[in-house]
Amino acid sequence: MQTLINYFALLLTGMVLNAQNNVEVTMTNFSNDKGTVKVGLYNNEGDWLEKEFKIVGSKIENNTAKVTFTNVPDGIYAVSCFHDQDNDGVFDMYLGMIPAEDYACSNGATGMFGPPKWSDAKFETKNNETKQITLKL
Ligand SMILES: [Ca+2]
């Protein structure tokens, strides 16, 4: 019986060691508090800016907002957000190519000609940490 208990204790410890990270995203410099901000967490290059691993929305107060992604497995990620001023859930563009709403990516990644690159925006999270990401719009 003791062996079994030790086994489960070990298993539980293992689960805790494999436990998840948090990614805390602080966003600043919104031009106003209108609408909401949509924040996407991406977990691979192929889905970057196409399909979020996780997505959350938040209100904006005093030109800032903060969201936390919880239960994020160890890995490489990138974050992007956009200020959904008209709150339609869509990142509005002029002519389908020029952003009409403010956005930002992790590491301050920006696109010169085209969207920001995964390689510029990616970061690693591991070891149960709470990763702090700051996005300046
Ligand atoms: Ca919009």
Side-chain angles (χ1 to χ4, degrees), residues 82-92 101:
F82 73 93
H83 184 184
D84 194 7
Q85 284 209 51
D86 54 3
N87 210 14
D88 64 353
V90 176
F91 181 40
D92 296 333
E101 292 177 317

Side-chain angles (χ1 to χ4, degrees), residues 35-112:
T36 57
V37 61
K38 300 281 191 299
V39 192
L41 180 70
Y42 300 84
N43 63 352
N44 71 73
E45 186 168 9
D47 291 339
W48 173 232
L49 303 177
E50 299 288 336
K51 186 169 153 283
E52 299 88 0
F53 170 59
K54 290 170 185 271
I55 185 165
V56 289
S58 170
K59 280 195 230 170
I60 300 153
E61 285 178 57
N62 301 319
N63 308 92
T64 63
K66 189 173 182 178
V67 301
T68 304
F69 293 99
T70 55
N71 301 322
V72 179
D74 290 358
I76 307 287
Y77 296 89
V79 170
S80 79
C81 75
F82 73 93
H83 184 184
D84 194 7
Q85 284 209 51
D86 54 3
N87 210 14
D88 64 353
V90 176
F91 181 40
D92 296 333
M93 302 258 221
Y94 297 117
L95 308 171
M97 39 194 309
I98 304 157
E101 292 177 317
D102 290 334
Y103 67 98
C105 298
S106 38
N107 301 332
T110 52
M112 278 293 275

